[in-house]
Amino acid sequence: MYTQALNQQDSAAPGSEDSGALARFEARVAAEDKIEPNDWMPEAYRRTLIRQISQHAHSEIIGMQPEGNWITRAPSLRRKAALLAKVQDEGGHGLYLYAAAETLGISREELNEQLLSGKAKYSSIFNYPTLTWADIGAIGWLVDGAAIMNQIPLCRTSYGPYARAMIRVCKEESFHQRQGYEIMLTLCRGTPAQKAMAQDALDRWWWPSLMMFGPPDAESQHTDQAMRWKIKRFTNDALRQQFVDATVPQGHHLGLSFPDPDLRFDEATGHWRFGAIDWAEFKAVLAGNGPCNRQRLRTRREAHASGAWVREAALAHAAKRRARAAAQKQAAE
Ligand code: FAQ
């Protein structure tokens, strides 16, 4: 999927800002060609992709924590198996995305260091706590629902390895969204206490889910350029509106209400209009002051440290295999 060997290297030196190479690059992007790892690309395009893909990868890895918290407490074996598989998928998504980022010339160690040092961002949503079982339903329904809305267009992003990774990720996210909605449906058809638990989860996860799409277009630093390069295919506000339009009827089908007194259907445009998002809260979470930022990074650092022996063993095993293969080759010559 991520091979760098099959395509021909562009004749311009990587990183050189040759105007002919730039014109060829722009023409290929305009023609919806995929840019591949060995192709010439502007340095800023490469940097933008490393930033976005690695933040996405970090989100998947940190995103395992809020749900991982419920694996041992899932209410039945079936729920436990589905949740375990979902969290495992998220680890896999992180790995495809790190591999896609590595094709841009950054190492896994560097990416990991950026996450562990707190320098790199990951999605704001994963800094909120999972207090009840209904939160697992709300995450699948809303967080995976928002992730799919954002990621389906990324299957058409201009960078080949990222686009191909997104195709598989989206298929799995779609299963995640359905398992979340099914948990919500079960709770909403259950006892009044179960329905109240589902409502409470919606109340807490709704606004943070809308924040996942990023700042409003007028304040988004990267959208214009990313759209010109066809890295992003829709703006933050356009995707947020699509998500609201798709999700509100699903919530009403559950018999739940949204924690937004300004939410109303606009007959003229066919869109659900929603109230003001608390961007001060979003900024506080990005600055490291959300309810769980410190806990998430601490857990990740501890997991990395306690996995050191696995990495050492894997490296020692690989070195042994290389030495054995070299000795066999020498003996055969
Ligand atoms: N949280 O100029 P823009 C998932 C940052 S995966 C934190 O608009 P851009 C699966 C942004 O990075 C969820 N930071 O930026 C799952 C930038 O900072 P920088 C992750 C945010 O890149 C489900 C600054 O604000 N998905 O959920 C956020 O054009 C369940 C200015 O923003 C992806 O990463 C935020 N919400 O647009 C896993 C999808 N929003 O770098 C487990 C790919 C913005 O200048 C359980 N990424 N920022 O320091 C994207 O589509 C884009 O990167 C956006 C942001 C739309 C997230």
Side-chain angles (χ1 to χ4, degrees), residues 42-120:
E43 195 44 38
Y45 175 84
R46 181 190 303 278
R47 279 200 309 271
T48 298
L49 280 167
I50 291 178
R51 181 186 63 77
Q52 178 165 325
I53 299 173
S54 63
Q55 287 178 3
H56 194 166
H58 300 326
S59 304
E60 298 280 358
I61 298 299
I62 297 285
M64 296 167 78
Q65 291 184 36
E67 290 166 295
N69 180 34
W70 277 90
I71 290 173
T72 54
R73 291 178 286 161
S76 69
L77 185 58
R78 183 171 87 88
R79 294 291 189 203
K80 198 186 285 279
L83 184 58
L84 197 57
K86 179 182 193 289
V87 173
Q88 211 170 345
D89 285 350
E90 283 148 11
H93 298 173
L95 298 185
Y96 316 150
L97 288 162
Y98 283 132
E102 283 178 281
T103 66
L104 291 155
I106 186 162
S107 70
R108 181 78 62 95
E109 289 71 22
E110 222 174 316
L111 292 168
N112 200 44
E113 173 49 32
Q114 290 174 356
L115 174 63
L116 297 182
S117 65
K119 199 173 137 210

Side-chain angles (χ1 to χ4, degrees), residues 51-52 55-56 59-60 63 67 86 90 121-124 126 139 143-144 147 150-151 154 162 173 211-215 220-223 232 236 282 286:
R51 181 186 63 77
Q52 178 165 325
Q55 287 178 3
H56 194 166
S59 304
E60 298 280 358
E67 290 166 295
K86 179 182 193 289
E90 283 148 11
K121 288 194 172 74
Y122 58 84
S123 183
S124 48
F126 301 118
I139 289 182
V143 177
D144 285 276
N150 168 279
Q151 287 167 200
L154 291 175
Y162 192 22
E173 300 286 27
M211 294 174 196
M212 282 178 73
F213 293 92
S220 164
Q221 297 154 247
H222 304 294
T223 295
K232 284 168 85 164
N236 299 354
F282 175 72
L286 259 60

Side-chain angles (χ1 to χ4, degrees), residues 21 34 71 132 155 159 169 185 219 227 298 303:
K34 292 283 177 254
I71 290 173
T132 71
C155 297
Y159 187 57
V169 169
L185 200 58
E219 286 167 34
M227 297 277 288
R298 190 173 58 240

Side-chain angles (χ1 to χ4, degrees), residues 139-195:
I139 289 182
W141 172 38
L142 301 174
V143 177
D144 285 276
I148 296 172
M149 202 53 92
N150 168 279
Q151 287 167 200
I152 295 271
L154 291 175
C155 297
R156 292 188 297 114
T157 195
S158 57
Y159 187 57
Y162 192 22
R164 291 189 287 276
M166 279 301 106
I167 293 170
R168 177 156 176 192
V169 169
C170 284
K171 287 188 176 149
E172 292 177 351
E173 300 286 27
S174 154
F175 155 74
H176 297 170
Q177 196 268 354
R178 283 173 220 189
Q179 70 84 41
Y181 192 73
E182 204 253 331
I183 292 174
M184 294 300 275
L185 200 58
T186 306
L187 290 172
C188 290
R189 287 177 179 166
T191 64
Q194 286 171 321
K195 187 159 183 195

Side-chain angles (χ1 to χ4, degrees), residues 112-308:
N112 200 44
E113 173 49 32
Q114 290 174 356
L115 174 63
L116 297 182
S117 65
K119 199 173 137 210
K121 288 194 172 74
Y122 58 84
S123 183
S124 48
I125 194 77
F126 301 118
N127 291 307
Y128 291 85
T130 40
L131 304 178
T132 71
W133 171 249
D135 289 9
I136 301 305
I139 289 182
W141 172 38
L142 301 174
V143 177
D144 285 276
I148 296 172
M149 202 53 92
N150 168 279
Q151 287 167 200
I152 295 271
L154 291 175
C155 297
R156 292 188 297 114
T157 195
S158 57
Y159 187 57
Y162 192 22
R164 291 189 287 276
M166 279 301 106
I167 293 170
R168 177 156 176 192
V169 169
C170 284
K171 287 188 176 149
E172 292 177 351
E173 300 286 27
S174 154
F175 155 74
H176 297 170
Q177 196 268 354
R178 283 173 220 189
Q179 70 84 41
Y181 192 73
E182 204 253 331
I183 292 174
M184 294 300 275
L185 200 58
T186 306
L187 290 172
C188 290
R189 287 177 179 166
T191 64
Q194 286 171 321
K195 187 159 183 195
M197 197 195 282
Q199 180 65 57
D200 168 62
L202 173 57
D203 291 347
R204 285 180 292 106
W205 289 92
W206 176 244
W207 290 109
S209 298
L210 298 193
M211 294 174 196
M212 282 178 73
F213 293 92
D217 292 350
E219 286 167 34
S220 164
Q221 297 154 247
H222 304 294
T223 295
D224 287 349
Q225 185 59 69
M227 297 277 288
R228 274 198 292 278
W229 281 328
K230 299 193 181 182
I231 294 174
K232 284 168 85 164
R233 309 302 306 239
F234 292 98
T235 69
N236 299 354
D237 285 335
L239 290 171
R240 190 170 8 250
Q241 183 64 59
Q242 279 182 35
F243 172 72
V244 172
D245 290 342
T247 309
V248 170
Q250 294 169 356
H252 290 160
H253 179 72
L254 293 172
L256 298 178
S257 58
F258 287 81
D260 177 358
D262 296 324
L263 189 69
R264 62 176 179 86
F265 189 68
D266 180 357
E267 295 284 350
T269 60
H271 291 300
W272 283 92
R273 296 295 170 211
F274 51 96
I277 294 175
D278 181 356
W279 292 112
E281 176 180 324
F282 175 72
K283 285 180 188 151
V285 175
L286 259 60
N289 299 319
C292 301
N293 295 57
R294 286 172 192 80
Q295 181 189 334
R296 298 290 183 243
L297 273 185
R298 190 173 58 240
T299 303
R300 185 67 222 131
R301 287 187 190 119
E302 283 167 9
H304 187 71
S306 65

